[in-house]
Amino acid sequence: MNTGASNPVVLEDVQIKLVKPSAPVIGRVVLNELCMNGKSASYVKHTTFDVSGTPLAGTFRPGQSFGVIPPGKDDNGKPHKVRLYSLASPSWGEDGGGTVISTTPKRLMGEFFPQTARDDPSDHHLFRGVCSNYLCDLKPGDEVLLSGPNGKRFQLPADYVAHDYLFLATGTGIAPFRGMLMELLQGPGGACGSEIHLVMGSPYTTDLLYHDLFERLAAEHSNFHYHTAISREPRGMGRGGLYVDVLLEERLDSFGVLLASPRTLIYVCGLAGMQLGLFGMLARHDLDSNYCTRSVALADTDPADWDAPAIKRGIKPTARCMLEVY
Ligand code: FAD
Ligand code: NAP
């Protein structure tokens, strides 16, 4: 189902790779504070860096990421490789001038599980990711090696008002949407009046990130709607938790109009694989043609019969569905 011709999706030219990981610049930590919604088994920070005086200052657009080069060496004695982190700020940064940028690092930690045939299957020491824990440990004033900007496809369209928006996040996949929502709703030219929906997926309510900000934005802007899909908390009446695509499907009475509109863009960020449920759901309700294409092999089949590998092989997003999943 499609209610008309799509508005073309025009993206701005953005600057990329001004600073290479091989010749990084120094950013100075301004603040580093937890940004979950309560006591949680996860530790996620809102971390900000002052990049004034470097080529990174004033260059970022929300949706882009930047590189962090952690100090020290890896198991092979080589310097640690760069890791990418999504920009969580709007283009004017955290300071209004684009010189303080932010991101949303989550401590990667847990019991070691074997990754290769060479790993000892009985080894279950505490595994700690190198860069995420380095970032989460930082204190204001600490210096960090940074590179970037990275990425040019996952971004807002040049003409904000030509589109409506559905943002789908899981976990730290929320980072780019914090920046995009601030860009759309708090820009110097005034708030964009388009319909904007954010669906945030988290295991527990306490894991929601930047929850207060999104509640405040929803209270201040009647065109912005904030939804949460909590996967591990039962909802009563025998109903289990929700994934973001299941929330959309359960509320198609209201989301159907948005999804069928030729103005709507969908942005998906977070866990690799989260897009598969979305594509299957859109196809089952004949809402997919705006956002994805079906391979020849799937063309004459019933979407109700598709499994995740078939969707992965046969469904490709169009320009109206932007993915940043890994
Ligand atoms: P590493 O030391 O690199 O360890 C990761 C490796 O360990 C992986 O190979 C993994 O398979 C393996 N591993 C994981 N768990 C275990 C285990 N229990 N036992 C054994 N091995 C294990 N991350 C964020 O937190 N916030 C962001 O905003 C963000 N944005 C990103 C944007 C982009 C475009 C990309 C590509 C990635 C982004 N990431 C983000 C992920 C980030 O780049 C790092 O991958 C992440 O922080 C982990 O890095 P690390 O150095 O801590 O882990
Ligand atoms: P998290 O807090 O564990 O939350 C993930 C949520 O998604 C959970 O509620 C989980 O439910 C649910 N989920 C699991 N499988 C799903 C599926 N197939 N479809 C929909 N929802 C699903 O997340 P996290 O640890 O922060 O991880 C976020 C991921 O985003 C990481 O992989 C990170 O690398 C990635 N990320 C990407 C970018 C980017 O590309 N720019 C930026 C930031 C983060 P259950 O666990 O209860 O099953």
Side-chain angles (χ1 to χ4, degrees):
M1 183 171 43
N2 183 346
T3 54
S6 296
N7 290 348
V9 185
V10 181
L11 302 182
E12 268 181 58
D13 279 339
V14 292
Q15 307 196 69
I16 56 167
K17 300 187 182 167
L18 296 174
V19 177
K20 303 231 163 33
S22 53
V25 295
I26 292 176
R28 203 173 296 277
V29 176
V30 180
L31 61 87
N32 199 9
E33 55 190 26
L34 292 168
C35 62
M36 303 95 61
N37 184 38
K39 278 192 182 172
S40 162
S42 305
Y43 295 92
V44 186
K45 295 267 171 89
H46 178 65
T47 310
T48 73
F49 304 97
D50 186 342
V51 294
S52 52
T54 80
L56 295 181
T59 59
F60 281 94
R61 302 285 304 168
Q64 291 190 294
S65 54
F66 56 88
V68 176
I69 299 100
K73 303 221 161 122
D74 64 20
D75 291 344
N76 299 318
K78 299 215 166 110
H80 282 303
K81 290 204 174 73
V82 63
R83 270 73 162 177
L84 294 181
Y85 290 87
S86 291
L87 182 79
S89 351
S91 51
W92 54 90
E94 302 294 314
D95 59 328
T99 59
V100 178
I101 59 172
S102 69
T103 187
T104 317
K106 174 176 179 173
R107 287 189 188 276
L108 175 60
M109 57 183 179
E111 284 212 346
F112 179 81
F113 58 84
Q115 303 282 297
T116 69
R118 278 169 303 155
D119 291 337
D120 174 0
S122 64
D123 178 0
H124 294 298
H125 70 273
L126 178 63
F127 175 86
R128 289 163 48 94
V130 171
C131 194
S132 58
N133 285 291
Y134 162 67
L135 280 177
C136 288
D137 286 349
L138 290 168
K139 295 190 295 297
D142 285 348
E143 293 184 347
V144 180
L145 296 177
L146 302 174
S147 62
N150 294 79
K152 54 182 178 183
R153 292 207 176 82
F154 193 76
Q155 55 159 311
L156 290 171
D159 183 2
Y160 298 164
V161 297
H163 300 277
D164 295 313
Y165 303 88
L166 175 59
F167 297 112
L168 303 177
T170 50
T172 51
I174 196 68
F177 300 147
R178 176 183 183 270
M180 288 182 180
L181 286 163
M182 291 169 82
E183 193 85 26
L184 288 171
L185 295 171
Q186 299 181 323
C192 165
S194 300
E195 273 296 288
I196 306 170
H197 289 256
L198 167 66
V199 185
M200 168 63 177
S202 287
Y204 298 98
T205 307
T206 49
D207 294 315
L208 291 167
L209 304 174
Y210 302 122
H211 181 64
D212 293 348
L213 169 70
F214 299 134
E215 285 208 314
R216 197 169 64 245
L217 288 176
E220 288 168 358
H221 302 275
S222 58
N223 58 319
F224 171 56
H225 313 275
Y226 173 46
H227 316 266
T228 59
I230 307 299
S231 59
R232 300 186 197 170
E233 291 175 6
R235 288 175 291 151
M237 317 239 291
R239 296 173 308 164
L242 276 179
Y243 279 178
V244 290
D245 55 291
V246 180
L247 180 143
L248 293 178
E249 189 163 30
E250 283 194 359
R251 301 190 197 164
L252 266 189
D253 279 358
S254 53
F255 281 110
V257 175
L258 179 76
L259 289 167
S261 162
R263 287 174 46 87
T264 302
L265 303 182
I266 302 181
Y267 292 76
V268 182
C269 189
L271 289 177
M274 67 177 284
Q275 75 279 17
L276 304 179
L278 170 73
F279 292 163
M281 184 280 289
L282 291 172
R284 285 195 300 281
H285 296 279
D286 194 20
L287 288 162
D288 55 325
S289 61
N290 284 331
Y291 309 105
C292 23
T293 57
R294 300 182 187 188
S295 68
V296 176
L298 289 183
D300 295 320
T301 59
D302 183 348
D305 297 331
W306 298 354
D307 59 10
I311 298 174
K312 202 170 184 176
R313 271 195 313 274
I315 302 295
K316 298 283 170 261
T318 65
R320 288 183 52 194
C321 181
M322 293 181 224
L323 300 184
E324 184 98 326
V325 292
Y326 62 87

